[in-house]
Amino acid sequence: MGIKKLDKIWVDGSLVPWDQATDHLLAHSMHYGLGAYEGLRAYQRADGRTAVFRLREHIERLLDSCTVCTIECPYSQEQLMTACLDVVRVNKIPACYIRPLIYLGYGALGLGSLEPPVRTMVACYEWGAYLGEDGLKNGVRCMISSIMRANSNAAMNKGKICGQYVSSVLAKRMAVKGGFDEAIMMDPQGYVAEGTGQNIFVAKHGVVRTPPSSSAILAGITRDTTIQLLREHGLEIREESIARDELYIADEVFLTGTAAEITPVREIDHRRVGRGEPGPLTRRIQESFFSVVKGTDKKHDHWLTYL
Ligand code: PMP
C-alpha cells in the first residue's frame, strides 16, 4: 500500500511541507539503523470526533526505546505527544497512522561517533487494515519463520529500534513471497514469540495464552489492551510459553498490533486453525476493541486523546 502524500510533517519542532521533510544520504541511521520509532493510530469514533489511541503509552515506549539505544531525545514526553496531535490536526485527516522517528542525522559516519545530530520527526498518513480487510474479517494465513527473534544480548526486543527490524522485514518478505500473509517468529528457546509486527494470542478450551512480556517480544500496547479486555470479559488469560505445535492444535489464534489491530489467524503452516475461520472468542474481543477505538464504548475513554 503506497503512502498518499499529505500536507505537512513535523520535523525537529516545526511543521514543514511534506516534500521538504528530507535528510542527507549520509545520515548515520540510514547506514547503521540506530534509531527509535513508534506506530500509533488516530481513529474517527462513532460521534465523528478523532482520537489518538493510547498516545501517552506509545510516547513513553518511544522514549524507552531511545534509552535502550542510547539516544538522548531533545523533546519531552509532553512535547512529543503534542507533536503527534498537531501533525494529525494540520493535515485535517480524521483517521490515520502516526509515525514518530528519532534518529541520528548527518554529521559523521564512524560507528561510535557522537557527532551526528539527534533528529526527530512525526508523520501521519492514511493506512487501512494492515493485513487487509479480508484478513480482519476472515482471518490470515501464517507460516512459522526460520528467522528467529534474537536473545536480549543480541537484540533488545523491548525497544522499537530501527535496525532490529531487519529480521522482521526478512521474515515478512519471505512469508509474502511464499504466498502467506504473515510470519510467526520463534524465540531463542524455541517457543513461540510473536508476529513480525504483532503479538500473538492462542485460545484452547476457553483459556487464552500469550508469551510473557519478559520473553523475546515487544511488549505491545494492543497486547496490553487485549489482556485488559479479555479480563473484563471474564476470560482466563495466562502469560506463559507456548510451544510451536500448540499453535497447530489451538481452537483460535489471533494477532494484535497497532497496525494489524486484532486479526484472526485461520491457518498456520498449512494446518487449519480450529474450523479455519475466526472463532467466537476472537470475534468477541475484536468487537470490543473496535468499539473502544472507533465505536461508542465509553468505559475506556482514558485510552483516548481527542484532537
Ligand atoms: N511486536 C512487534 C515486533 C512490533 O513491531 C509490534 C508493533 N509495534 C508489536 C509487537 C505490537 O505492538 P503494539 O500493539 O504496541 O503496536
Side-chain angles (χ1 to χ4, degrees):
M1 205 182 312
I3 296 178
K4 207 163 97 198
K5 180 171 153 180
L6 293 178
D7 198 24
K8 297 263 166 60
I9 294 182
W10 188 100
V11 183
D12 294 331
S14 339
L15 288 157
V16 307
W18 184 276
D19 288 333
Q20 288 171 29
T22 56
D23 206 335
H24 200 279
L25 291 175
L26 292 178
H28 194 282
S29 296
M30 172 112 66
H31 298 253
Y32 309 125
L34 196 75
Y37 76 97
E38 263 306 318
L40 307 83
R41 272 191 193 267
Y43 286 96
Q44 185 168 35
R45 303 205 74 228
D47 63 8
R49 291 193 295 162
T50 295
V52 178
F53 185 58
R54 304 200 68 173
L55 173 61
R56 181 168 292 281
E57 292 88 337
H58 277 281
I59 299 304
E60 192 179 328
R61 188 172 66 187
L62 178 62
L63 292 172
D64 284 349
S65 297
C66 285
T67 302
V68 169
C69 69
T70 69
I71 289 182
E72 210 167 304
C73 177
Y75 299 99
S76 67
Q77 187 171 359
E78 298 304 320
Q79 285 171 317
L80 293 167
M81 287 168 62
T82 303
C84 290
L85 296 169
D86 285 350
V87 83
V88 179
R89 250 184 233 120
V90 74
N91 285 298
K92 300 186 176 60
I93 185 164
C96 59
Y97 184 78
I98 307 169
R99 167 54 54 86
L101 167 68
I102 300 169
Y103 69 99
L104 300 180
Y106 171 51
L109 272 181
L111 288 185
S113 172
L114 301 176
E115 265 173 69
V118 175
R119 305 213 55 197
T120 309
M121 68 117 231
V122 187
C124 70
Y125 42 91
E126 268 180 68
W127 210 4
Y130 177 64
L131 294 168
E133 282 299 332
D134 181 67
L136 216 47
K137 195 161 158 248
N138 299 314
V140 292
R141 296 179 58 244
C142 296
M143 63 171 277
I144 297 194
S145 183
S146 58
I147 298 182
M148 288 185 338
R149 280 276 169 262
N151 82 42
S152 62
N153 292 318
M156 306 207 181
N157 300 299
K158 296 298 164 270
K160 273 185 83 71
I161 296 169
C162 302
Q164 281 183 188
Y165 273 79
V166 168
S167 61
S168 275
V169 172
L170 279 179
K172 175 84 184 190
R173 285 170 72 94
M174 286 160 66
V176 171
K177 281 172 187 278
F180 294 91
D181 301 302
E182 189 50 80
I184 295 168
M185 302 175 76
M186 310 300 277
D187 72 12
Q189 287 74 38
Y191 292 106
V192 175
E194 58 184 345
T196 59
Q198 311 88 9
N199 293 111
I200 190 164
F201 287 75
V202 179
K204 178 101 174 164
H205 303 322
V207 177
V208 187
R209 295 158 69 212
T210 194
S213 57
S214 56
S215 64
I217 62 166
L218 184 75
I221 291 163
T222 323
R223 174 186 180 277
D224 176 72
T225 304
T226 304
I227 290 173
Q228 293 198 46
L229 293 175
L230 285 164
R231 289 203 173 118
E232 287 173 20
H233 279 275
L235 290 158
E236 189 179 343
I237 162 82
R238 293 191 202 148
E239 293 184 54
E240 60 185 32
S241 300
I242 297 166
R244 174 185 186 134
D245 45 0
E246 288 183 291
L247 292 180
Y248 300 150
I249 57 174
D251 294 335
E252 302 184 33
V253 175
F254 60 89
L255 300 169
T256 68
T258 299
E261 300 167 306
I262 294 183
T263 299
V265 175
R266 68 179 161 91
E267 193 185 303
I268 301 172
D269 284 352
H270 305 286
R271 281 111 168 147
R272 262 195 340 213
V273 175
R275 293 153 59 125
E277 60 186 38
L281 192 147
T282 308
R283 281 270 171 259
R284 245 170 99 190
I285 224 64
Q286 210 184 24
E287 224 168 82
S288 306
F289 175 78
F290 283 117
S291 177
V292 169
V293 295
K294 58 181 180 186
T296 53
D297 177 282
K298 290 220 163 44
K299 254 178 55 196
H300 303 89
D301 234 32
H302 55 284
W303 281 340
L304 300 170
T305 306
Y306 290 89
L307 287 198

mmCIF file of all heavy atoms in Angstrom, residues 257-287:
data_model
loop_
_atom_site.group_PDB
_atom_site.id
_atom_site.type_symbol
_atom_site.label_atom_id
_atom_site.label_comp_id
_atom_site.label_asym_id
_atom_site.label_seq_id
_atom_site.Cartn_x
_atom_site.Cartn_y
_atom_site.Cartn_z
ATOM 1 N N GLY A 257 -1.799 -5.770 17.201
ATOM 2 C CA GLY A 257 -0.802 -4.726 16.967
ATOM 3 C C GLY A 257 -1.499 -3.453 16.528
ATOM 4 O O GLY A 257 -2.649 -3.498 16.083
ATOM 5 N N THR A 258 -0.801 -2.356 16.639
ATOM 6 C CA THR A 258 -1.397 -1.079 16.237
ATOM 7 C C THR A 258 -1.805 -1.122 14.772
ATOM 8 O O THR A 258 -2.893 -0.705 14.402
ATOM 9 C CB THR A 258 -0.390 0.062 16.476
ATOM 10 O OG1 THR A 258 -0.108 0.075 17.875
ATOM 11 C CG2 THR A 258 -0.936 1.404 16.040
ATOM 12 N N ALA A 259 -0.901 -1.644 13.924
ATOM 13 C CA ALA A 259 -1.212 -1.710 12.501
ATOM 14 C C ALA A 259 -2.225 -2.820 12.224
ATOM 15 O O ALA A 259 -3.235 -2.613 11.558
ATOM 16 C CB ALA A 259 0.058 -1.931 11.689
ATOM 17 N N ALA A 260 -1.981 -4.007 12.780
ATOM 18 C CA ALA A 260 -2.825 -5.184 12.489
ATOM 19 C C ALA A 260 -4.118 -5.196 13.297
ATOM 20 O O ALA A 260 -5.003 -6.007 13.024
ATOM 21 C CB ALA A 260 -2.049 -6.457 12.763
ATOM 22 N N GLU A 261 -4.203 -4.346 14.311
ATOM 23 C CA GLU A 261 -5.359 -4.279 15.220
ATOM 24 C C GLU A 261 -5.571 -5.675 15.837
ATOM 25 O O GLU A 261 -4.626 -6.228 16.375
ATOM 26 C CB GLU A 261 -6.576 -3.705 14.461
ATOM 27 C CG GLU A 261 -6.218 -2.313 13.957
ATOM 28 C CD GLU A 261 -7.150 -1.710 12.930
ATOM 29 O OE1 GLU A 261 -7.410 -2.353 11.909
ATOM 30 O OE2 GLU A 261 -7.611 -0.564 13.166
ATOM 31 N N ILE A 262 -6.757 -6.269 15.688
ATOM 32 C CA ILE A 262 -6.894 -7.656 16.158
ATOM 33 C C ILE A 262 -7.271 -8.483 14.945
ATOM 34 O O ILE A 262 -8.380 -8.379 14.418
ATOM 35 C CB ILE A 262 -7.917 -7.767 17.296
ATOM 36 C CG1 ILE A 262 -7.374 -7.015 18.531
ATOM 37 C CG2 ILE A 262 -8.203 -9.245 17.619
ATOM 38 C CD1 ILE A 262 -8.225 -7.087 19.770
ATOM 39 N N THR A 263 -6.315 -9.265 14.460
ATOM 40 C CA THR A 263 -6.512 -10.031 13.228
ATOM 41 C C THR A 263 -6.537 -11.527 13.531
ATOM 42 O O THR A 263 -5.574 -12.066 14.087
ATOM 43 C CB THR A 263 -5.382 -9.718 12.220
ATOM 44 O OG1 THR A 263 -5.421 -8.325 11.891
ATOM 45 C CG2 THR A 263 -5.544 -10.516 10.940
ATOM 46 N N PRO A 264 -7.621 -12.207 13.166
ATOM 47 C CA PRO A 264 -7.684 -13.654 13.378
ATOM 48 C C PRO A 264 -6.702 -14.392 12.464
ATOM 49 O O PRO A 264 -6.414 -13.930 11.364
ATOM 50 C CB PRO A 264 -9.127 -14.018 12.969
ATOM 51 C CG PRO A 264 -9.855 -12.715 12.771
ATOM 52 C CD PRO A 264 -8.825 -11.660 12.519
ATOM 53 N N VAL A 265 -6.201 -15.535 12.934
ATOM 54 C CA VAL A 265 -5.349 -16.394 12.108
ATOM 55 C C VAL A 265 -6.173 -17.631 11.764
ATOM 56 O O VAL A 265 -6.696 -18.299 12.654
ATOM 57 C CB VAL A 265 -4.071 -16.799 12.886
ATOM 58 C CG1 VAL A 265 -3.244 -17.790 12.079
ATOM 59 C CG2 VAL A 265 -3.249 -15.554 13.221
ATOM 60 N N ARG A 266 -6.284 -17.924 10.467
ATOM 61 C CA ARG A 266 -7.120 -19.083 10.105
ATOM 62 C C ARG A 266 -6.308 -20.303 9.680
ATOM 63 O O ARG A 266 -6.823 -21.406 9.587
ATOM 64 C CB ARG A 266 -8.145 -18.709 9.030
ATOM 65 C CG ARG A 266 -7.576 -18.383 7.668
ATOM 66 C CD ARG A 266 -8.710 -18.050 6.696
ATOM 67 N NE ARG A 266 -8.239 -17.332 5.545
ATOM 68 C CZ ARG A 266 -7.839 -17.912 4.414
ATOM 69 N NH1 ARG A 266 -7.861 -19.209 4.294
ATOM 70 N NH2 ARG A 266 -7.419 -17.174 3.403
ATOM 71 N N GLU A 267 -5.017 -20.094 9.441
ATOM 72 C CA GLU A 267 -4.182 -21.222 9.002
ATOM 73 C C GLU A 267 -2.731 -20.970 9.406
ATOM 74 O O GLU A 267 -2.254 -19.844 9.301
ATOM 75 C CB GLU A 267 -4.295 -21.319 7.472
ATOM 76 C CG GLU A 267 -3.752 -22.589 6.883
ATOM 77 C CD GLU A 267 -3.809 -22.536 5.355
ATOM 78 O OE1 GLU A 267 -4.904 -22.346 4.791
ATOM 79 O OE2 GLU A 267 -2.733 -22.658 4.745
ATOM 80 N N ILE A 268 -2.062 -22.007 9.888
ATOM 81 C CA ILE A 268 -0.633 -21.899 10.210
ATOM 82 C C ILE A 268 0.086 -23.110 9.621
ATOM 83 O O ILE A 268 -0.278 -24.259 9.917
ATOM 84 C CB ILE A 268 -0.379 -21.854 11.739
ATOM 85 C CG1 ILE A 268 -1.104 -20.647 12.362
ATOM 86 C CG2 ILE A 268 1.123 -21.776 12.042
ATOM 87 C CD1 ILE A 268 -1.077 -20.615 13.876
ATOM 88 N N ASP A 269 1.117 -22.861 8.818
ATOM 89 C CA ASP A 269 1.893 -23.946 8.193
ATOM 90 C C ASP A 269 0.978 -24.979 7.547
ATOM 91 O O ASP A 269 1.158 -26.209 7.752
ATOM 92 C CB ASP A 269 2.795 -24.638 9.245
ATOM 93 C CG ASP A 269 4.019 -23.804 9.583
ATOM 94 O OD1 ASP A 269 4.261 -22.779 8.916
ATOM 95 O OD2 ASP A 269 4.728 -24.179 10.530
ATOM 96 N N HIS A 270 -0.004 -24.527 6.812
ATOM 97 C CA HIS A 270 -0.939 -25.404 6.084
ATOM 98 C C HIS A 270 -1.853 -26.234 6.985
ATOM 99 O O HIS A 270 -2.459 -27.192 6.521
ATOM 100 C CB HIS A 270 -0.181 -26.324 5.108
ATOM 101 C CG HIS A 270 0.690 -25.551 4.150
ATOM 102 N ND1 HIS A 270 0.186 -24.825 3.096
ATOM 103 C CD2 HIS A 270 2.027 -25.362 4.132
ATOM 104 C CE1 HIS A 270 1.177 -24.236 2.455
ATOM 105 N NE2 HIS A 270 2.307 -24.532 3.063
ATOM 106 N N ARG A 271 -1.921 -25.881 8.289
ATOM 107 C CA ARG A 271 -2.915 -26.545 9.151
ATOM 108 C C ARG A 271 -4.010 -25.536 9.445
ATOM 109 O O ARG A 271 -3.703 -24.394 9.831
ATOM 110 C CB ARG A 271 -2.311 -26.966 10.490
ATOM 111 C CG ARG A 271 -1.491 -28.244 10.446
ATOM 112 C CD ARG A 271 -0.074 -27.879 10.658
ATOM 113 N NE ARG A 271 0.789 -29.010 10.912
ATOM 114 C CZ ARG A 271 2.050 -29.033 10.520
ATOM 115 N NH1 ARG A 271 2.563 -28.050 9.795
ATOM 116 N NH2 ARG A 271 2.820 -30.052 10.836
ATOM 117 N N ARG A 272 -5.240 -25.952 9.327
ATOM 118 C CA ARG A 272 -6.350 -25.075 9.676
ATOM 119 C C ARG A 272 -6.360 -24.826 11.172
ATOM 120 O O ARG A 272 -6.191 -25.753 11.952
ATOM 121 C CB ARG A 272 -7.675 -25.762 9.302
ATOM 122 C CG ARG A 272 -8.213 -25.303 7.963
ATOM 123 C CD ARG A 272 -9.641 -25.698 7.773
ATOM 124 N NE ARG A 272 -10.089 -26.780 8.624
ATOM 125 C CZ ARG A 272 -10.982 -27.680 8.271
ATOM 126 N NH1 ARG A 272 -11.535 -27.626 7.077
ATOM 127 N NH2 ARG A 272 -11.358 -28.632 9.093
ATOM 128 N N VAL A 273 -6.550 -23.586 11.568
ATOM 129 C CA VAL A 273 -6.695 -23.290 12.996
ATOM 130 C C VAL A 273 -8.177 -23.407 13.330
ATOM 131 O O VAL A 273 -9.007 -22.731 12.714
ATOM 132 C CB VAL A 273 -6.186 -21.861 13.325
ATOM 133 C CG1 VAL A 273 -6.448 -21.525 14.791
ATOM 134 C CG2 VAL A 273 -4.711 -21.731 13.003
ATOM 135 N N GLY A 274 -8.516 -24.277 14.280
ATOM 136 C CA GLY A 274 -9.929 -24.510 14.630
ATOM 137 C C GLY A 274 -10.684 -24.956 13.401
ATOM 138 O O GLY A 274 -10.315 -25.924 12.743
ATOM 139 N N ARG A 275 -11.740 -24.192 13.073
ATOM 140 C CA ARG A 275 -12.524 -24.564 11.882
ATOM 141 C C ARG A 275 -12.071 -23.812 10.631
ATOM 142 O O ARG A 275 -12.761 -23.804 9.620
ATOM 143 C CB ARG A 275 -14.002 -24.278 12.157
ATOM 144 C CG ARG A 275 -14.559 -25.203 13.242
ATOM 145 C CD ARG A 275 -15.725 -24.565 13.974
ATOM 146 N NE ARG A 275 -16.795 -24.248 13.047
ATOM 147 C CZ ARG A 275 -18.044 -24.668 13.180
ATOM 148 N NH1 ARG A 275 -18.366 -25.440 14.177
ATOM 149 N NH2 ARG A 275 -18.966 -24.304 12.321
ATOM 150 N N GLY A 276 -10.929 -23.144 10.762
ATOM 151 C CA GLY A 276 -10.398 -22.438 9.596
ATOM 152 C C GLY A 276 -11.085 -21.101 9.360
ATOM 153 O O GLY A 276 -11.010 -20.538 8.262
ATOM 154 N N GLU A 277 -11.711 -20.615 10.426
ATOM 155 C CA GLU A 277 -12.362 -19.293 10.345
ATOM 156 C C GLU A 277 -12.255 -18.652 11.743
ATOM 157 O O GLU A 277 -11.998 -19.360 12.715
ATOM 158 C CB GLU A 277 -13.822 -19.453 9.924
ATOM 159 C CG GLU A 277 -14.622 -20.303 10.886
ATOM 160 C CD GLU A 277 -16.043 -20.603 10.402
ATOM 161 O OE1 GLU A 277 -16.211 -20.828 9.192
ATOM 162 O OE2 GLU A 277 -16.940 -20.604 11.248
ATOM 163 N N PRO A 278 -12.440 -17.330 11.826
ATOM 164 C CA PRO A 278 -12.318 -16.686 13.136
ATOM 165 C C PRO A 278 -13.295 -17.304 14.149
ATOM 166 O O PRO A 278 -14.461 -17.499 13.843
ATOM 167 C CB PRO A 278 -12.685 -15.231 12.847
ATOM 168 C CG PRO A 278 -12.412 -15.054 11.391
ATOM 169 C CD PRO A 278 -12.706 -16.371 10.752
ATOM 170 N N GLY A 279 -12.775 -17.640 15.316
ATOM 171 C CA GLY A 279 -13.596 -18.269 16.351
ATOM 172 C C GLY A 279 -14.386 -17.243 17.157
ATOM 173 O O GLY A 279 -14.148 -16.037 17.049
ATOM 174 N N PRO A 280 -15.301 -17.724 17.993
ATOM 175 C CA PRO A 280 -16.190 -16.836 18.746
ATOM 176 C C PRO A 280 -15.464 -15.910 19.723
ATOM 177 O O PRO A 280 -15.830 -14.747 19.887
ATOM 178 C CB PRO A 280 -17.112 -17.792 19.507
ATOM 179 C CG PRO A 280 -16.479 -19.138 19.428
ATOM 180 C CD PRO A 280 -15.606 -19.150 18.216
ATOM 181 N N LEU A 281 -14.400 -16.435 20.347
ATOM 182 C CA LEU A 281 -13.678 -15.617 21.317
ATOM 183 C C LEU A 281 -12.923 -14.475 20.606
ATOM 184 O O LEU A 281 -12.938 -13.329 21.047
ATOM 185 C CB LEU A 281 -12.715 -16.561 22.029
ATOM 186 C CG LEU A 281 -12.016 -16.095 23.259
ATOM 187 C CD1 LEU A 281 -11.834 -17.281 24.182
ATOM 188 C CD2 LEU A 281 -10.689 -15.487 22.904
ATOM 189 N N THR A 282 -12.321 -14.810 19.487
ATOM 190 C CA THR A 282 -11.608 -13.783 18.700
ATOM 191 C C THR A 282 -12.594 -12.714 18.250
ATOM 192 O O THR A 282 -12.311 -11.510 18.352
ATOM 193 C CB THR A 282 -10.931 -14.421 17.465
ATOM 194 O OG1 THR A 282 -10.144 -15.528 17.895
ATOM 195 C CG2 THR A 282 -10.070 -13.430 16.717
ATOM 196 N N ARG A 283 -13.742 -13.138 17.784
ATOM 197 C CA ARG A 283 -14.779 -12.204 17.333
ATOM 198 C C ARG A 283 -15.204 -11.251 18.446
ATOM 199 O O ARG A 283 -15.345 -10.043 18.236
ATOM 200 C CB ARG A 283 -16.030 -12.986 16.888
ATOM 201 C CG ARG A 283 -15.899 -13.581 15.533
ATOM 202 C CD ARG A 283 -16.410 -12.585 14.484
ATOM 203 N NE ARG A 283 -16.111 -13.039 13.145
ATOM 204 C CZ ARG A 283 -15.097 -12.587 12.396
ATOM 205 N NH1 ARG A 283 -14.283 -11.661 12.830
ATOM 206 N NH2 ARG A 283 -14.896 -13.054 11.185
ATOM 207 N N ARG A 284 -15.379 -11.840 19.652
ATOM 208 C CA ARG A 284 -15.846 -11.033 20.785
ATOM 209 C C ARG A 284 -14.831 -9.955 21.146
ATOM 210 O O ARG A 284 -15.166 -8.810 21.379
ATOM 211 C CB ARG A 284 -16.006 -11.951 22.011
ATOM 212 C CG ARG A 284 -17.439 -12.079 22.467
ATOM 213 C CD ARG A 284 -17.508 -13.169 23.498
ATOM 214 N NE ARG A 284 -17.519 -12.641 24.851
ATOM 215 C CZ ARG A 284 -17.390 -13.421 25.928
ATOM 216 N NH1 ARG A 284 -17.237 -14.710 25.814
ATOM 217 N NH2 ARG A 284 -17.421 -12.877 27.126
ATOM 218 N N ILE A 285 -13.571 -10.348 21.152
ATOM 219 C CA ILE A 285 -12.532 -9.419 21.598
ATOM 220 C C ILE A 285 -12.259 -8.376 20.501
ATOM 221 O O ILE A 285 -11.997 -7.211 20.784
ATOM 222 C CB ILE A 285 -11.282 -10.219 22.067
ATOM 223 C CG1 ILE A 285 -10.759 -9.635 23.339
ATOM 224 C CG2 ILE A 285 -10.216 -10.411 21.073
ATOM 225 C CD1 ILE A 285 -11.645 -9.721 24.495
ATOM 226 N N GLN A 286 -12.392 -8.810 19.265
ATOM 227 C CA GLN A 286 -12.240 -7.890 18.131
ATOM 228 C C GLN A 286 -13.344 -6.815 18.194
ATOM 229 O O GLN A 286 -13.080 -5.629 18.031
ATOM 230 C CB GLN A 286 -12.401 -8.704 16.852
ATOM 231 C CG GLN A 286 -11.642 -8.207 15.670
ATOM 232 C CD GLN A 286 -11.946 -9.022 14.409
ATOM 233 O OE1 GLN A 286 -12.986 -9.656 14.286
ATOM 234 N NE2 GLN A 286 -11.042 -8.987 13.457
ATOM 235 N N GLU A 287 -14.551 -7.278 18.466
ATOM 236 C CA GLU A 287 -15.696 -6.360 18.551
ATOM 237 C C GLU A 287 -15.494 -5.337 19.673
ATOM 238 O O GLU A 287 -15.718 -4.146 19.488
ATOM 239 C CB GLU A 287 -16.942 -7.179 18.870
ATOM 240 C CG GLU A 287 -18.169 -6.817 18.051
ATOM 241 C CD GLU A 287 -19.235 -7.877 18.239
ATOM 242 O OE1 GLU A 287 -19.942 -7.797 19.260
ATOM 243 O OE2 GLU A 287 -19.315 -8.800 17.400
#
